[in-house]
Amino acid sequence: MAEMTSGEWESLCDGCGKCCLLKFEDEDSGEIHFTDVSCEQLNIESCRCKNYAKRFVLVPDCLSLQPDNILQITSLPQSCAYRLLALGESLPDWHPLVSGDSDSVHKSGHSVRGRVMSEQYIHPSDIDRRIIQWVQ
C-alpha cells in the first residue's frame, strides 16, 4: 500500500460514506457505535465529500487515511477497502475495483445512500439517539 500512487490510493475508496458518519466510542470497551448522521460535508446522494480538497480545513477532525495509520483508526467500517488490504484480506465482490461498476457499492446496499441525514439538520443533543447497526 505504501508504494501506491495517489490515484491508486484514492481508487481504494469504495464510496460507501460510512467513514463520514458521526460515531461514538464506548469509553470502557473501545467499541465504535455508528449513527445515521453524516458530516455536513458528505453529499448524501453521491456519498462523496462536497469539498474533498478542503476537508481538513472545513472539518478539522476529518480522518486522514495513510498506509501507516489505517490499522490504528478503529472507526473505519469492517468493510473498508483500506482496512481490508492492510489486514491482507480481499476486496468484496461489490467493491467498484472488483465489480467494474462505480455504483455497485450502492446497489449492494453497502453505502449510506438514502439512509442518513446531515448533521446540519440534527440538534447536537439528539445525535446519541441516532446510533444504528450498519451492515458491514
Side-chain angles (χ1 to χ4, degrees):
M1 291 174 71
E3 297 175 10
M4 291 181 165
T5 66
S6 62
E8 290 169 333
W9 179 258
E10 294 293 328
S11 74
L12 290 179
C13 177
D14 58 30
C16 72
K18 291 178 184 173
C19 63
C20 299
L21 298 178
L22 278 59
K23 306 161 201 72
F24 294 97
E25 181 176 0
D26 184 299
E27 292 178 11
D28 297 324
S29 69
E31 183 179 0
I32 302 297
H33 299 280
F34 286 78
T35 70
D36 65 352
V37 180
S38 74
C39 167
E40 68 180 275
Q41 294 302 315
L42 183 71
N43 176 317
I44 59 175
E45 182 60 28
S46 69
C47 295
R48 299 290 183 172
C49 186
K50 295 176 188 175
N51 293 291
Y52 190 73
K54 297 180 181 178
R55 67 193 182 281
F56 299 120
V57 173
L58 297 170
V59 183
D61 61 346
C62 182
L63 296 175
S64 177
L65 304 180
Q66 304 297 323
D68 62 348
N69 74 354
I70 295 298
L71 295 178
Q72 286 75 47
I73 300 176
T74 59
S75 62
L76 291 174
Q78 298 293 314
S79 60
C80 176
Y82 296 102
R83 186 181 177 286
L84 291 172
L85 292 181
L87 292 170
E89 298 179 24
S90 300
L91 297 178
D93 291 342
W94 49 262
H95 191 285
L97 289 176
V98 176
S99 69
D101 178 1
S102 61
D103 278 337
S104 60
V105 65
H106 309 300
K107 293 174 184 174
S108 68
H110 286 277
S111 79
V112 301
R113 179 184 280 175
R115 302 189 294 166
V116 297
M117 183 175 287
S118 174
E119 68 180 319
Q120 65 192 36
Y121 301 112
I122 305 287
H123 191 277
S125 66
D126 293 334
I127 294 173
D128 63 344
R129 289 183 256 169
R130 311 253 341 171
I131 293 174
I132 62 167
Q133 183 68 38
W134 288 97
V135 172
Q136 295 290 325

